[in-house]
Amino acid sequence: MRGRGLRQGAAALAAALALMLAGGAWAQTSDLVVRSELRVCADPANLPFSNDKGEGFENKLADLLGKALNVPVTYFWFPQATGFIRNTLGAKACDIVMGYAQGDELVLNTNHYYASAYALITRADSELASVETLSDPRLQGKKIGVVAGTPPATNLAINGLMGNVRPFQLMVDRRFFSPARDMVSQIASKELDAGILWGPIGGYYAKQSSEPLKVTPLMKETQGPHMAFRITMGVRQSDGEWKRQLNRLIREHQSEINAILQSYGVPLVETD
């Protein structure tokens, strides 16, 4: 009986060990990305980044990744507002956010695939077209547009320029309103002398303008908040292997990524 009990105990131990090993192997490989589709979290009305017609540059970047992975691209749509990550990645409704600022702890960031900066937008024939910093005295007394609550507003205040600033709303329903497009239109029509927008947004709408416009990244600011940011792809904190696979794809396709960004007028900058 004792021998039989030992054999049964050994068999049970072996089975338990096999289960532990299997569980360990699953833990190691559960986030390996063997996907049947690329499930993207995106805003359905947020050009130039994304929309539900596939017209944004993040849509094009998703297509590039889908082709590289040989899988179709599908979307889970949610407005880019408070709760976006919680209701998309966090709810496991999708697996990647195509554009996210480096360093935000809500997501696990890939390596950055581009860097851009807030930019001063002027008419190409304006005396302000050569301005590179908000401390330039030529900006004094000029009508300048800025999106309320964004970093450049602080720099405008530091330089005593708020007296003639025209604020534009940050949080709007972009299905119906586009403050950035309106600002650029007012610069082109001379209602504004200049405006400041996040580079990818400003560059996109400036590129569409029938009036030649100049887009100058604010890379020489010495006061106030940083104007330049690195942009990554965002995944869940637990998806380390997926992040590593995306890093490899970014590295292998960087020239194609740059070409897409530049076709949308995104000002690309170098950051230290």
Side-chain angles (χ1 to χ4, degrees):
M1 290 292 294
R2 183 179 178 185
R4 181 181 177 185
L6 286 173
R7 287 193 297 272
Q8 288 176 336
L13 181 60
L17 182 58
L19 286 173
M20 289 175 63
L21 289 173
W26 173 252
Q28 291 174 359
T29 61
S30 61
D31 66 347
L32 284 174
V33 188
V34 181
R35 302 185 185 276
S36 60
E37 57 187 9
L38 179 67
R39 302 193 307 159
V40 178
C41 321
D43 189 317
N46 191 29
L47 288 177
F49 305 102
S50 65
N51 71 5
D52 55 9
K53 297 179 182 178
E55 296 171 330
F57 67 74
E58 290 182 357
N59 296 114
K60 305 308 180 188
L61 293 172
D63 290 341
L64 176 64
L65 289 185
K67 183 178 179 181
L69 293 166
N70 197 31
V71 297
V73 178
T74 61
Y75 285 92
F76 181 79
W77 302 110
F78 197 88
Q80 186 82 39
T82 302
F84 177 76
I85 296 299
R86 182 179 69 252
N87 289 287
T88 56
L89 278 182
K92 297 188 177 180
C94 42
D95 305 309
I96 182 172
V97 177
M98 295 306 302
Y100 216 79
Q102 188 179 66
D104 194 306
E105 295 181 356
L106 286 177
V107 304
L108 180 62
N109 298 105
T110 65
N111 294 340
H112 75 281
Y113 63 94
Y114 78 97
S116 193
Y118 280 91
L120 183 71
I121 303 167
T122 63
R123 292 182 300 279
D125 61 357
S126 165
E127 65 169 330
L128 303 181
S130 59
V131 169
E132 295 183 312
T133 70
L134 298 183
S135 60
D136 192 304
R138 288 175 289 178
L139 291 173
Q140 295 295 325
K142 302 298 185 183
K143 298 188 293 291
I144 304 171
V146 70
V147 176
T150 58
T154 299
N155 287 32
L156 288 169
I158 288 171
N159 288 285
L161 297 171
M162 292 300 289
N164 291 307
V165 160
R166 180 175 297 177
F168 289 77
Q169 285 183 278
L170 175 62
M171 303 303 292
V172 298
D173 188 336
R174 289 185 175 82
R175 293 173 299 173
F176 308 107
F177 305 102
S178 176
R181 182 180 58 209
D182 294 343
M183 186 194 301
V184 171
S185 176
Q186 291 178 29
I187 296 167
S189 67
K190 300 185 179 182
E191 293 177 62
L192 288 172
D193 297 301
I196 306 172
L197 287 166
W198 171 232
I201 299 174
Y204 174 73
Y205 286 111
K207 189 178 178 72
Q208 292 187 335
S209 174
S210 58
E211 180 75 22
L213 300 177
K214 176 77 178 296
V215 178
T216 305
L218 293 170
M219 295 296 292
K220 297 184 178 182
E221 295 296 290
T222 59
Q223 304 179 80
H226 290 295
M227 295 290 104
F229 297 89
R230 291 175 172 178
I231 304 302
T232 72
M233 298 173 193
V235 302
R236 281 180 287 276
Q237 291 287 352
S238 59
D239 286 348
E241 187 58 40
W242 181 210
K243 168 190 170 177
R244 287 186 285 275
Q245 185 172 354
L246 289 169
N247 283 342
R248 176 178 59 80
L249 292 174
I250 290 169
R251 184 172 62 253
E252 292 175 352
H253 297 277
Q254 188 65 66
S255 61
E256 295 160 89
I257 291 171
N258 289 349
I260 291 171
L261 296 170
Q262 289 166 345
S263 73
Y264 279 76
V266 176
L268 302 180
V269 303
E270 296 290 337
T271 57
D272 295 330

